[in-house]
Amino acid sequence: MTTTPAPAATGGTPAPRASLPDDLKVTPVRVLRSEWLKFRTVRSSPVAVAVTVVGMIALGWVFSAADASRWPVMRPQAKLRFDPTDVSIRGYVLAQLVIGVLGVLVVSGEYGTGMIRATFSAVPTRTPVLWAKLVIFAVVSFVVGTVSSFAAFLGGQAFLSSQHIETTLSAPGVFRAVFGVGLYLTVVGMLGVALGWLIRHTAGAIATLFGLLLVLPGIAEALPDSWAPHVVPYLPSNAGQALITVHPDAAMLAPWTGFAVFCAYVAVALVAAFVLLERRDA
């Protein structure tokens, strides 16, 4: 018995397009799972998280213990300027660099190894990868930064209590400052991720990050007095750090206003990253 082959589809009747099985479709949840797996299996991720936690807590405790030990011989002017909250959470200066660099590496590391091509082959629309990396890293940064900040603060106040110079979370502005460290570090991490997408090279993105956070404020100190009030408060790090200052400087932005300005910088960077991601080759 001869079997007649099925007729080929004619130009007027296109052949039906086979759809992917449900277990092979790209969904936001699956992209998130993939990015989370990549993040936690990269060696630099747990190391950076550990450095952030240990660094913030250790520096906060060390600074607090040192100030408590020299309090009896501290000059009166220094005592007037003393801020027990700032002393205990000062480790954020180190933490912002670690979190920012890790944010860059989350993206630039894939470009450096060429793995980004495989990622975009699996997710051709690309945009879900950007948002998945951003969400994963923002959540990690917030949890790590907030836990470290409260641990540093509580331990630091325990050291300062030996001289009765401690403060509490219920004091005006203290809870906002301590909780704000987690928010500030989260936005710094998001800035690192955005720069990773924009520049795609680790060294260049890290140099840009350090320039924005550390170099610009130093350069701004050389500005004429007539310019400084219109520039210095609006620099990214100065604006963001207003949130973690218990007693804001009158020359700087209000805490939540400054934080909103810092978020606006990151939003602009992310929009630019989105546009370039759609236009550039992998």
Side-chain angles (χ1 to χ4, degrees):
M1 181 177 179
T2 304
T3 303
T4 304
T10 63
T13 308
R17 187 175 181 179
S19 60
L20 290 173
D22 290 340
D23 58 349
L24 295 179
K25 289 182 178 178
V26 176
T27 65
V29 172
R30 285 173 178 158
V31 177
L32 277 171
R33 288 176 179 172
S34 173
E35 292 303 323
W36 170 243
L37 178 63
K38 285 190 284 187
F39 176 81
R40 64 186 178 87
T41 53
V42 174
R43 187 175 302 175
S44 59
S45 298
V47 172
V49 169
V51 170
T52 301
V53 174
V54 174
M56 269 207 61
I57 295 175
L59 288 176
W61 292 4
V62 168
F63 288 143
S64 299
D67 281 349
S69 66
R70 65 170 178 257
W71 181 260
V73 296
M74 192 178 292
R75 294 179 179 181
Q77 295 86 348
K79 288 184 177 182
L80 290 175
R81 295 193 302 268
F82 181 76
D83 184 347
T85 303
D86 178 69
V87 170
S88 60
I89 62 175
R90 197 175 295 170
Y92 80 85
V93 176
L94 169 65
Q96 68 176 345
L97 302 181
V98 179
I99 289 290
V101 169
L102 184 58
V104 169
L105 290 173
V106 164
V107 179
S108 66
E110 286 201 48
Y111 278 102
T113 61
M115 186 178 176
I116 195 69
R117 296 185 181 89
T119 298
F120 288 157
S121 295
V123 189
T125 53
R126 298 189 178 188
T127 304
V129 178
L130 185 153
W131 295 118
K133 287 183 181 294
L134 189 66
V135 169
I136 292 294
F137 197 69
V139 171
V140 171
S141 300
F142 177 74
V143 172
V144 170
T146 302
V147 170
S148 302
S149 179
F150 276 95
F153 173 81
L154 295 174
Q157 301 315 304
F159 285 107
L160 295 173
S161 64
S162 63
Q163 297 294 334
H164 307 289
I165 54 175
E166 77 278 10
T167 187
T168 64
L169 289 171
S170 59
V174 173
F175 181 84
R176 173 195 29 89
V178 178
F179 182 72
V181 171
L183 295 176
Y184 174 72
L185 293 179
T186 300
V187 180
V188 169
M190 294 169 67
L191 177 60
V193 173
L195 291 176
W197 284 116
L198 286 170
I199 300 174
R200 303 195 296 183
H201 297 285
T202 300
I206 291 176
T208 303
L209 177 73
F210 282 17
L212 291 173
L213 297 181
L214 302 178
V215 179
L216 273 183
I219 294 175
E221 293 180 1
L223 292 175
D225 292 340
S226 59
W227 292 14
H230 306 289
V231 176
V232 174
Y234 297 92
L235 296 178
S237 58
N238 289 346
Q241 290 170 14
L243 183 64
I244 55 183
T245 305
V246 176
H247 306 290
D249 190 329
M252 295 297 179
L253 298 175
W256 289 107
T257 302
F259 184 66
V261 170
F262 188 36
C263 291
Y265 280 112
V266 177
V268 170
L270 287 171
V271 170
F274 170 79
V275 172
L276 290 179
L277 182 63
E278 293 294 319
R279 295 184 177 182
R280 293 191 302 198
D281 294 332

